[in-house]
Amino acid sequence: MSRTSKIGFLILMCLNLVSCNGQTTEKQTMALSEDFDKSPPFYYKMPKDLLSKDSSPAFNANGQKILLTGTVYQLDGKTPASGIILYYYQTNAEGVYATKESEERNMPKNKLGQTHGYIRGWIKTDVQGKYALYTAMPGTYPSRDEPAHVHISVKEDKMKAPYYLDDFVFDNDPILSTRRRNRMENRGGSGVIRFVEKEDLWIGERNIILGLNIPNYPIENNSLESSGKSIGEDIISFTPFHAYGVDKGTKTCPICKYGWYHGILYFVGNKPNWEEVKEWLVFLDKVSQEREKYLKVYFVYGNDLNYNNERRMKELEELGTELRLKKIALTFVPSFDDKTSEVHLNKIDPNVENTFLIYKRSNIIDKHIGLNPTPQNFDKITNLLDRSTNQYFKLSRPKQNR
């Protein structure tokens, strides 16, 4: 075969199998896989033109209406990813993947009895990486052995095949125990949804990080230092000793009590630079006062060298008094490997100068290691808080969840 003929053959194969923008042909989208475990039906009945917003067939049926929305980012957790295809499917209110021939998206059962039902669809992120899915709350399986959930998979150019992400699951679900949360894979980040309420709609935000915790992903995080869980993952609850602040004398969990709006965890371990610590605390206390209940900042000291509980308590109490701090909590743990407080689950490196974990609704939205107290870095923190305060930020939990 001549070089020209080979090129023509390859072009023809491309047109027959998949178009240049990644969309499959009509023939492929109508082919139902015989075994979903070997070949998931990501493309089955997928339309050629996809939007960044979609309404599932369940949205206009009975049941609690919900909006699942957020931004898809590249692996750095900061660069929006446009043109990414998300595929979802879920049960009906009875917890069944029901089929319904009258529905355009209906998937009949294959030879093995497998189906995604008819409550399914696709979304393609916009130029800012944003997506929105309007649907209804899925029901828990009749067996009650799994929390209610919405399945989600993603197709991006970097990966030959689609891959699954952690399901959307719901923070108020009694089946979603602490044990289950700690076993999550966090593929693409945490899938735990914390709803707010606007009229009759429950709104849950989730930012998706492409490649995060995905085996054999072709891009690696090249950061030389690693401390703290990743952007997109949830902060894990822990109970430090409180030496200064409103919870002084207790072992209150920062996330459990103050995790609803913005929060900053400022960790310092075995290499404290007290002059810089003081600069950070004064700045963060000022920002906390300005933002009132919408921001809570914790200083968490985890120096395990010559640790003494009473001495550490007195040391931080004197620091807070010296700086006349009004809103920041000064706390400590015996070490960042301490299992009694469970701070070890947040994977903080005690040998870096500091670790900042900035979160919203208990989910990490930014992370910094070895951050110096400069005007530029102060601006970096305040700008992030401003950017992530959207139209849903100050809304309350649904009444049923209070």
Side-chain angles (χ1 to χ4, degrees):
M1 185 181 293
S2 68
R3 183 174 182 275
T4 303
S5 299
K6 288 181 179 179
I7 293 173
F9 174 75
L10 291 173
I11 292 174
L12 180 61
M13 288 296 291
C14 177
L15 292 174
N16 284 338
L17 293 175
V18 68
S19 67
C20 293
N21 64 2
Q23 306 293 346
T24 56
T25 63
E26 182 69 18
K27 183 177 180 180
Q28 278 192 306
T29 62
M30 294 304 293
L32 187 60
S33 169
E34 292 187 357
D35 186 344
F36 290 2
D37 294 330
K38 295 180 180 179
S39 180
F42 184 97
Y43 297 107
Y44 182 72
K45 290 189 177 181
M46 186 175 82
K48 293 182 179 179
D49 298 316
L50 302 177
L51 302 175
S52 62
K53 297 180 181 180
D54 188 57
S55 293
S56 86
F59 188 66
N60 294 320
N62 294 330
Q64 176 59 54
K65 299 181 189 301
I66 63 175
L67 166 61
L68 302 175
T69 187
T71 303
V72 177
Y73 290 102
Q74 300 291 355
L75 186 57
D76 62 5
K78 300 179 182 182
T79 306
S82 63
I84 302 300
I85 300 175
L86 304 174
Y87 168 64
Y88 68 88
Y89 67 98
Q90 66 172 83
T91 65
N92 61 15
E94 286 71 46
V96 176
Y97 296 107
T99 60
K100 195 173 184 179
E101 292 185 4
S102 61
E103 289 287 349
E104 183 179 359
R105 303 179 186 186
N106 183 61
M107 179 187 292
K109 293 182 179 180
N110 65 8
K111 294 180 180 179
L112 298 178
Q114 299 167 321
T115 181
H116 291 177
Y118 70 92
I119 308 176
R120 53 192 294 271
W122 301 261
I123 305 167
K124 191 173 186 179
T125 59
D126 65 16
V127 293
Q128 296 177 318
K130 296 187 180 301
Y131 73 93
L133 166 60
Y134 292 85
T135 187
M137 182 69 77
T140 304
Y141 292 156
S143 61
R144 300 285 295 172
D145 59 349
E146 291 288 339
H149 56 275
V150 176
H151 292 287
I152 184 81
S153 298
V154 62
K155 178 65 180 75
E156 55 165 320
D157 291 340
K158 295 182 184 69
M159 296 287 276
K160 182 177 179 180
Y163 58 88
Y164 73 89
L165 305 175
D166 269 27
D167 299 334
F168 290 93
V169 291
F170 310 107
D171 189 55
N172 62 328
D173 191 330
I175 301 178
L176 188 62
S177 64
T178 299
R179 185 177 179 183
R180 285 181 182 272
R181 293 172 196 248
N182 291 341
R183 291 205 313 260
M184 289 178 176
E185 296 179 89
N186 283 332
R187 291 172 62 101
S190 171
V192 178
I193 297 298
R194 298 168 177 90
F195 284 117
V196 297
E197 185 175 38
K198 186 176 182 180
E199 298 175 350
D200 64 342
L201 183 66
W202 289 8
I203 303 163
E205 295 182 83
R206 176 190 183 182
N207 293 335
I208 293 169
I209 315 298
L210 297 175
L212 180 62
N213 299 319
I214 304 299
N216 302 315
Y217 194 70
I219 297 177
E220 295 183 2
N221 188 338
N222 294 321
S223 174
L224 296 178
E225 293 183 313
S226 177
S227 178
K229 295 182 72 65
S230 299
I231 297 174
E233 296 183 320
D234 282 348
I235 297 283
I236 304 298
S237 301
F238 67 103
T239 53
F241 294 100
H242 289 249
Y244 185 91
V246 294
D247 296 308
K248 178 182 176 181
T250 72
K251 289 190 68 179
T252 302
C253 168
I255 312 307
C256 306
K257 189 170 182 179
Y258 301 106
W260 187 245
Y261 298 110
H262 277 138
I264 298 176
L265 297 177
Y266 171 26
F267 295 94
V268 171
N270 296 340
K271 297 181 178 180
N273 180 329
W274 288 111
E275 290 305 312
E276 292 198 352
V277 167
K278 290 177 182 180
E279 289 184 61
W280 270 120
L281 292 179
V282 170
F283 164 72
L284 293 170
D285 195 58
K286 177 176 178 291
V287 174
S288 298
Q289 291 180 59
E290 292 170 350
R291 295 176 185 261
E292 300 177 332
K293 71 175 183 179
Y294 300 109
L295 173 65
K296 186 65 178 179
V297 180
Y298 281 82
F299 175 73
V300 186
Y301 190 32
N303 191 339
D304 56 23
L305 305 176
N306 301 315
Y307 171 76
N308 176 275
N309 184 285
E310 292 183 5
R311 185 167 59 244
R312 190 65 48 84
M313 183 80 71
K314 183 179 180 181
E315 182 181 19
L316 292 185
E317 184 179 14
E318 290 176 349
L319 177 63
T321 302
E322 174 193 343
L323 300 178
R324 298 181 180 180
L325 301 177
K326 296 181 179 179
K327 278 206 67 181
I328 287 185
L330 304 185
T331 73
F332 65 94
V333 289
S335 76
F336 289 146
D337 293 324
D338 182 54
K339 294 183 178 179
T340 301
S341 65
E342 297 191 311
V343 70
H344 72 292
L345 297 174
N346 285 293
K347 302 179 180 179
I348 304 300
D349 183 351
N351 295 313
V352 297
E353 187 168 320
N354 60 51
T355 303
F356 285 85
L357 298 182
I358 305 171
Y359 60 90
K360 172 185 170 183
R361 304 268 195 267
S362 302
N363 186 263
I364 300 170
I365 58 174
D366 206 357
K367 177 171 81 168
H368 299 282
I369 301 171
L371 200 63
N372 297 321
T374 64
Q376 294 79 8
N377 287 333
F378 293 165
D379 288 344
K380 185 179 293 186
I381 298 291
T382 54
N383 289 339
L384 172 71
L385 296 173
D386 289 339
R387 289 198 312 272
S388 55
T389 304
N390 58 18
Q391 67 268 37
Y392 309 124
F393 180 68
K394 293 184 178 181
L395 295 179
S396 301
R397 293 178 176 88
K399 294 182 177 65
Q400 292 90 328
N401 293 349
R402 293 175 189 166

